[in-house]
Coordinates of all heavy atoms in Angstrom, one line a residue:
V1699 N 119.2 91.8 67.8 CA 119.1 90.7 67.0 C 117.6 90.4 66.5 O 116.7 90.4 67.3 CB 119.6 89.3 67.6 CG1 119.4 88.1 66.5 CG2 121.1 89.5 67.8
Q1700 N 117.4 90.4 65.2 CA 116.0 90.0 64.6 C 116.2 89.1 63.4 O 117.3 89.3 62.6 CB 115.4 91.3 64.1 CG 114.9 92.2 65.3 CD 113.7 91.7 66.1 OE1 112.4 91.7 65.6 NE2 114.0 91.0 67.1
F1701 N 115.5 88.1 63.3 CA 115.5 87.1 62.2 C 117.0 86.4 62.2 O 117.5 86.2 61.1 CB 115.3 87.7 60.8 CG 113.9 88.4 60.8 CD1 113.9 89.8 60.9 CD2 112.9 87.7 60.7 CE1 112.6 90.5 60.9 CE2 111.6 88.3 60.5 CZ 111.4 89.8 60.8
G1702 N 117.5 86.2 63.3 CA 118.7 85.5 63.5 C 120.0 86.3 63.3 O 121.1 85.6 63.3
K1703 N 119.9 87.6 63.0 CA 121.1 88.3 62.8 C 121.0 89.7 63.4 O 119.8 90.2 63.6 CB 121.7 88.3 61.4 CG 120.6 89.0 60.5 CD 121.3 88.8 59.0 CE 120.4 89.5 58.0 NZ 121.2 89.5 56.5
S1704 N 122.0 90.5 63.5 CA 121.9 91.8 64.1 C 121.3 92.7 63.1 O 121.3 92.6 61.9 CB 123.2 92.4 64.5 OG 124.0 92.7 63.4
V1705 N 120.5 93.8 63.6 CA 119.9 94.6 62.8 C 120.9 95.4 61.8 O 120.5 95.6 60.6 CB 119.1 95.7 63.6 CG1 118.5 96.9 62.6 CG2 117.9 95.0 64.3
F1706 N 122.0 95.6 62.4 CA 123.0 96.4 61.6 C 123.3 95.5 60.3 O 123.8 96.1 59.3 CB 124.3 96.6 62.5 CG 125.4 97.4 61.9 CD1 125.5 98.7 61.7 CD2 126.3 96.8 61.1 CE1 126.5 99.5 61.1 CE2 127.4 97.3 60.4 CZ 127.4 98.7 60.5
D1707 N 123.4 94.3 60.4 CA 123.9 93.5 59.3 C 122.9 93.3 58.1 O 123.3 92.7 57.2 CB 124.1 92.0 59.8 CG 125.4 91.9 60.6 OD1 126.4 92.8 60.6 OD2 125.6 91.0 61.6
F1708 N 121.8 93.8 58.3 CA 120.9 93.9 57.0 C 121.3 95.0 56.1 O 121.7 96.1 56.6 CB 119.4 94.1 57.5 CG 118.7 93.1 58.2 CD1 118.8 93.0 59.6 CD2 118.2 92.1 57.5 CE1 118.1 91.9 60.2 CE2 117.5 91.0 58.0 CZ 117.6 90.8 59.4
Q1709 N 121.6 94.6 54.9 CA 122.2 95.5 53.9 C 121.3 97.0 53.8 O 121.9 98.0 53.7 CB 122.3 95.0 52.5 CG 123.0 95.9 51.6 CD 123.2 95.2 50.2 OE1 122.1 95.0 49.5 NE2 124.4 94.9 49.8
G1710 N 120.0 96.8 53.9 CA 119.2 98.0 53.9 C 119.5 98.9 54.9 O 119.6 100.2 54.7
M1711 N 119.9 98.4 56.1 CA 120.2 99.3 57.3 C 121.7 99.9 57.1 O 121.9 101.1 57.3 CB 120.0 98.4 58.6 CG 118.7 98.3 59.1 SD 118.1 99.7 59.9 CE 119.2 100.0 61.2
Q1712 N 122.5 98.9 56.6 CA 123.9 99.5 56.4 C 123.9 100.7 55.4 O 124.6 101.6 55.7 CB 124.8 98.3 55.8 CG 125.0 97.3 56.9 CD 125.8 96.1 56.4 OE1 125.9 96.1 55.0 NE2 126.4 95.3 57.1
H1713 N 123.1 100.7 54.5 CA 123.0 101.7 53.5 C 122.5 103.0 54.0 O 123.1 104.0 53.8 CB 122.3 101.3 52.2 CG 122.9 100.3 51.4 ND1 122.4 99.8 50.2 CD2 124.1 99.7 51.6 CE1 123.2 98.9 49.6 NE2 124.2 98.8 50.3
Q1714 N 121.5 102.8 54.9 CA 121.0 104.1 55.5 C 121.9 104.7 56.5 O 122.2 105.9 56.6 CB 119.8 103.6 56.3 CG 118.6 103.3 55.4 CD 117.4 103.1 56.3 OE1 116.9 103.8 57.2 NE2 116.7 101.8 56.1
I1715 N 122.6 103.8 57.3 CA 123.6 104.2 58.3 C 124.8 104.9 57.6 O 125.3 105.9 58.0 CB 124.0 103.1 59.2 CG1 122.8 102.7 60.1 CG2 125.3 103.4 60.0 CD1 123.2 101.4 60.8
A1716 N 125.3 104.4 56.5 CA 126.4 104.8 55.7 C 126.1 106.1 55.1 O 126.9 107.1 55.2 CB 126.7 103.9 54.6
Q1717 N 124.8 106.4 54.7 CA 124.5 107.7 54.2 C 124.4 108.7 55.2 O 125.0 109.8 55.0 CB 123.0 107.6 53.6 CG 122.6 108.8 52.9 CD 121.0 108.7 52.3 OE1 120.3 108.0 52.9 NE2 120.8 109.5 51.3
V1718 N 123.9 108.5 56.3 CA 123.9 109.3 57.5 C 125.3 109.7 58.0 O 125.7 110.8 58.1 CB 123.0 108.8 58.7 CG1 123.1 109.8 59.9 CG2 121.6 108.9 58.3
A1719 N 126.2 108.7 58.1 CA 127.5 108.9 58.4 C 128.3 109.7 57.5 O 129.1 110.7 57.9 CB 128.3 107.5 58.6
T1720 N 127.9 109.7 56.3 CA 128.7 110.5 55.2 C 128.1 112.0 55.4 O 129.0 112.9 55.3 CB 128.3 109.9 53.8 OG1 128.7 108.7 53.7 CG2 128.9 110.8 52.7
Q1721 N 126.9 112.1 55.5 CA 126.3 113.5 55.7 C 126.9 114.2 57.0 O 127.1 115.4 57.1 CB 124.8 113.4 55.7 CG 124.2 113.1 54.3 CD 122.8 112.9 54.3 OE1 122.2 112.5 55.2 NE2 122.1 113.5 53.3
L1722 N 127.0 113.3 58.1 CA 127.6 113.9 59.4 C 129.0 114.4 59.1 O 129.5 115.5 59.6 CB 127.6 112.8 60.5 CG 126.4 112.6 61.1 CD1 126.4 111.4 62.1 CD2 126.3 113.7 62.2
E1723 N 129.8 113.6 58.3 CA 131.2 114.0 58.0 C 131.2 115.3 57.1 O 132.1 116.1 57.3 CB 131.9 112.9 57.2 CG 133.4 113.2 57.2 CD 134.1 113.0 58.5 OE1 133.4 112.6 59.5 OE2 135.4 113.2 58.5
A1724 N 130.2 115.4 56.2 CA 130.2 116.6 55.4 C 129.8 117.8 56.3 O 130.5 119.0 56.0 CB 129.2 116.5 54.2
A1725 N 129.0 117.8 57.2 CA 128.5 118.8 58.0 C 129.7 119.2 58.9 O 129.9 120.3 59.2 CB 127.4 118.4 58.9
R1726 N 130.5 118.2 59.4 CA 131.7 118.5 60.2 C 132.7 119.3 59.4 O 133.2 120.3 60.0 CB 132.3 117.2 60.8 CG 133.5 117.4 61.5 CD 134.0 116.1 62.3 NE 133.1 115.9 63.3 CZ 132.1 114.8 63.3 NH1 132.1 114.0 62.2 NH2 131.3 114.6 64.4
L1727 N 133.0 118.9 58.2 CA 133.9 119.6 57.4 C 133.5 121.0 57.0 O 134.4 121.9 56.9 CB 134.3 118.8 56.1 CG 134.9 117.4 56.3 CD1 135.2 116.7 55.1 CD2 136.2 117.5 57.0
L1728 N 132.2 121.2 56.7 CA 131.7 122.6 56.6 C 131.8 123.4 57.7 O 132.3 124.6 57.6 CB 130.1 122.5 56.1 CG 130.0 122.2 54.6 CD1 128.4 121.8 54.6 CD2 130.2 123.3 53.6
T1729 N 131.5 122.9 58.8 CA 131.6 123.6 60.2 C 133.0 124.0 60.5 O 133.4 125.1 60.8 CB 131.0 122.9 61.3 OG1 129.6 122.6 60.8 CG2 131.0 123.7 62.5
Y1730 N 133.9 123.0 60.5 CA 135.3 123.3 60.8 C 136.0 124.2 59.8 O 136.8 125.1 60.1 CB 136.1 122.0 60.8 CG 135.9 121.0 62.0 CD1 134.9 121.3 62.8 CD2 136.7 119.8 62.2 CE1 134.6 120.4 63.9 CE2 136.5 119.0 63.2 CZ 135.4 119.4 64.0 OH 135.2 118.5 65.2
N1731 N 135.7 124.1 58.5 CA 136.3 125.0 57.6 C 135.8 126.4 57.7 O 136.7 127.3 57.6 CB 135.8 124.5 56.1 CG 136.4 125.4 55.1 OD1 137.6 125.5 54.9 ND2 135.5 126.0 54.3
A1732 N 134.6 126.7 58.0 CA 134.0 128.1 58.3 C 134.8 128.6 59.5 O 135.1 129.8 59.6 CB 132.5 128.1 58.6
A1733 N 135.0 127.8 60.6 CA 135.7 128.2 61.8 C 137.1 128.6 61.5 O 137.8 129.6 62.1 CB 135.6 127.2 62.8
R1734 N 137.8 127.7 60.7 CA 139.2 128.1 60.3 C 139.2 129.4 59.5 O 140.3 130.0 59.6 CB 139.8 126.9 59.7 CG 140.1 125.7 60.6 CD 140.9 126.0 61.6 NE 141.4 124.6 62.3 CZ 141.9 124.5 63.5 NH1 142.2 125.6 64.1 NH2 142.3 123.4 64.0
L1735 N 138.3 129.6 58.6 CA 138.3 130.7 57.8 C 138.2 132.0 58.7 O 138.9 133.1 58.5 CB 137.1 130.8 56.8 CG 137.3 129.9 55.7 CD1 135.9 129.8 54.9 CD2 138.5 130.2 54.8
V1736 N 137.5 132.0 59.8 CA 137.3 133.1 60.7 C 138.7 133.4 61.3 O 139.2 134.4 61.5 CB 136.4 132.8 61.8 CG1 136.4 133.9 62.9 CG2 134.9 132.7 61.2
E1737 N 139.3 132.3 61.9 CA 140.7 132.4 62.4 C 141.7 132.9 61.6 O 142.6 133.7 62.0 CB 141.1 131.0 63.0 CG 140.5 130.6 64.2 CD 141.1 129.4 64.9 OE1 141.9 128.7 64.2 OE2 140.9 129.2 66.1
A1738 N 141.6 132.6 60.2 CA 142.6 133.0 59.3 C 142.3 134.4 58.8 O 143.0 135.1 58.0 CB 142.6 132.2 58.0
G1739 N 141.2 135.1 59.2 CA 140.8 136.5 58.8 C 140.3 136.5 57.4 O 140.3 137.7 56.8
R1740 N 139.8 135.4 56.9 CA 139.4 135.4 55.4 C 137.7 135.5 55.4 O 137.2 135.3 56.4 CB 139.8 134.2 54.8 CG 141.2 134.1 54.8 CD 141.7 132.6 54.2 NE 141.1 132.4 52.9 CZ 141.2 131.1 52.3 NH1 142.0 130.1 52.7 NH2 140.7 130.9 51.2
P1741 N 137.2 135.8 54.3 CA 135.8 136.0 54.2 C 135.2 134.5 54.5 O 135.7 133.5 54.2 CB 135.6 136.4 52.7 CG 136.7 137.1 52.2 CD 138.0 136.3 53.1
F1742 N 134.2 134.6 55.3 CA 133.5 133.4 55.8 C 131.9 133.3 55.7 O 131.4 132.3 56.2 CB 133.9 133.1 57.1 CG 133.5 134.1 58.3 CD1 132.3 133.9 58.8 CD2 134.3 135.2 58.5 CE1 131.8 134.8 59.7 CE2 133.7 136.2 59.4 CZ 132.4 136.0 60.1
I1743 N 131.3 134.5 55.4 CA 129.9 134.6 55.5 C 129.1 133.5 54.8 O 128.1 132.8 55.3 CB 129.4 136.0 55.1 CG1 129.8 137.0 56.0 CG2 127.9 136.1 55.1 CD1 129.6 138.4 55.7
K1744 N 129.5 133.3 53.5 CA 128.9 132.2 52.8 C 129.1 130.9 53.5 O 128.0 130.0 53.7 CB 129.3 132.2 51.4 CG 128.7 131.0 50.5 CD 129.4 131.0 49.0 CE 130.8 130.6 49.1 NZ 131.4 130.4 47.7
E1745 N 130.2 130.6 53.8 CA 130.5 129.3 54.4 C 130.0 129.1 55.7 O 129.5 128.0 56.1 CB 132.1 129.2 54.5 CG 132.9 129.0 53.2 CD 133.0 130.2 52.5 OE1 132.7 131.4 52.9 OE2 133.5 130.1 51.4
A1746 N 129.7 130.2 56.5 CA 129.1 130.2 57.8 C 127.5 129.7 57.7 O 127.1 128.8 58.4 CB 129.1 131.4 58.6
S1747 N 127.0 130.3 56.6 CA 125.5 130.0 56.3 C 125.4 128.6 55.8 O 124.4 127.9 56.1 CB 124.9 131.0 55.3 OG 124.8 132.3 55.9
M1748 N 126.3 128.2 54.9 CA 126.2 126.8 54.4 C 126.4 125.8 55.6 O 125.8 124.8 55.6 CB 127.5 126.6 53.4 CG 127.3 127.1 52.1 SD 128.6 126.9 51.1 CE 128.1 127.5 49.4
A1749 N 127.2 126.1 56.5 CA 127.5 125.2 57.7 C 126.3 125.1 58.5 O 125.8 123.9 58.9 CB 128.8 125.6 58.4
K1750 N 125.8 126.2 58.9 CA 124.6 126.2 59.7 C 123.4 125.6 59.0 O 122.6 124.9 59.6 CB 124.2 127.7 60.0 CG 123.3 127.8 61.3 CD 122.0 128.3 60.9 CE 121.1 128.5 62.1 NZ 119.6 128.5 61.8
Y1751 N 123.1 125.9 57.8 CA 122.1 125.3 57.0 C 122.1 123.8 56.9 O 121.2 123.2 57.4 CB 121.9 126.0 55.5 CG 121.1 125.1 54.8 CD1 119.7 125.0 54.7 CD2 121.7 124.3 53.7 CE1 118.9 124.4 53.9 CE2 120.9 123.5 52.8 CZ 119.6 123.5 53.0 OH 118.8 122.8 52.2
Y1752 N 123.3 123.4 56.5 CA 123.4 121.9 56.4 C 123.6 121.1 57.6 O 122.9 120.1 57.6 CB 124.7 121.7 55.5 CG 124.9 120.3 54.9 CD1 124.1 119.7 54.0 CD2 125.8 119.3 55.4 CE1 124.1 118.5 53.5 CE2 125.9 118.1 55.0 CZ 125.0 117.6 54.1 OH 125.1 116.3 53.7
A1753 N 124.1 121.7 58.6 CA 124.1 120.9 59.8 C 122.8 120.8 60.4 O 122.5 119.7 61.1 CB 125.3 121.7 60.8
A1754 N 122.0 121.8 60.3 CA 120.6 121.8 60.8 C 119.8 120.5 60.1 O 119.0 119.7 60.6 CB 119.9 123.0 60.8
E1755 N 120.1 120.6 58.7 CA 119.4 119.6 57.9 C 119.8 118.2 58.2 O 119.0 117.2 58.4 CB 119.6 119.9 56.5 CG 119.0 121.2 56.0 CD 117.4 121.2 56.0 OE1 116.9 120.3 55.6 OE2 116.9 122.2 56.5
V1756 N 121.1 118.0 58.4 CA 121.7 116.7 58.9 C 121.3 116.3 60.1 O 121.0 115.1 60.3 CB 123.2 116.7 58.7 CG1 123.8 115.5 59.3 CG2 123.6 116.9 57.2
A1757 N 121.1 117.2 61.1 CA 120.6 116.8 62.4 C 119.3 116.3 62.4 O 118.8 115.4 63.2 CB 120.8 118.0 63.3
T1758 N 118.4 117.0 61.6 CA 117.0 116.5 61.4 C 116.9 115.2 60.8 O 116.1 114.4 61.3 CB 116.2 117.7 60.5 OG1 116.4 118.9 61.1 CG2 114.8 117.2 60.4
L1759 N 117.6 114.9 59.9 CA 117.6 113.6 59.1 C 118.3 112.6 60.2 O 117.6 111.4 60.4 CB 118.4 113.6 58.0 CG 118.7 112.2 57.4 CD1 117.4 111.7 56.7 CD2 119.8 112.2 56.2
T1760 N 119.4 112.8 60.7 CA 120.0 111.9 61.7 C 119.1 111.5 62.8 O 118.9 110.2 63.2 CB 121.3 112.5 62.2 OG1 122.1 112.8 61.1 CG2 121.9 111.4 63.1
T1761 N 118.5 112.4 63.5 CA 117.7 112.1 64.8 C 116.4 111.3 64.3 O 116.0 110.5 65.1 CB 117.4 113.3 65.5 OG1 116.7 114.3 64.5 CG2 118.5 114.1 66.0

Side-chain angles (χ1 to χ4, degrees):
V1699 175
Q1700 290 288 277
F1701 304 103
K1703 62 180 180 180
S1704 73
V1705 172
F1706 182 89
D1707 286 337
F1708 288 92
Q1709 189 181 61
M1711 280 291 291
Q1712 291 179 342
H1713 288 180
Q1714 292 181 52
I1715 291 169
Q1717 182 183 30
V1718 169
T1720 301
Q1721 291 175 320
L1722 274 170
E1723 191 70 3
R1726 178 171 289 106
L1727 296 177
L1728 280 170
T1729 303
Y1730 286 7
N1731 181 59
R1734 291 298 192 196
L1735 286 173
V1736 171
E1737 286 194 335
R1740 295 174 57 185
F1742 65 90
I1743 293 174
K1744 179 185 71 175
E1745 289 78 8
S1747 287
M1748 285 179 167
K1750 199 263 186 186
Y1751 163 74
Y1752 190 70
E1755 294 296 311
V1756 169
T1758 301
L1759 170 68
T1760 302
T1761 56

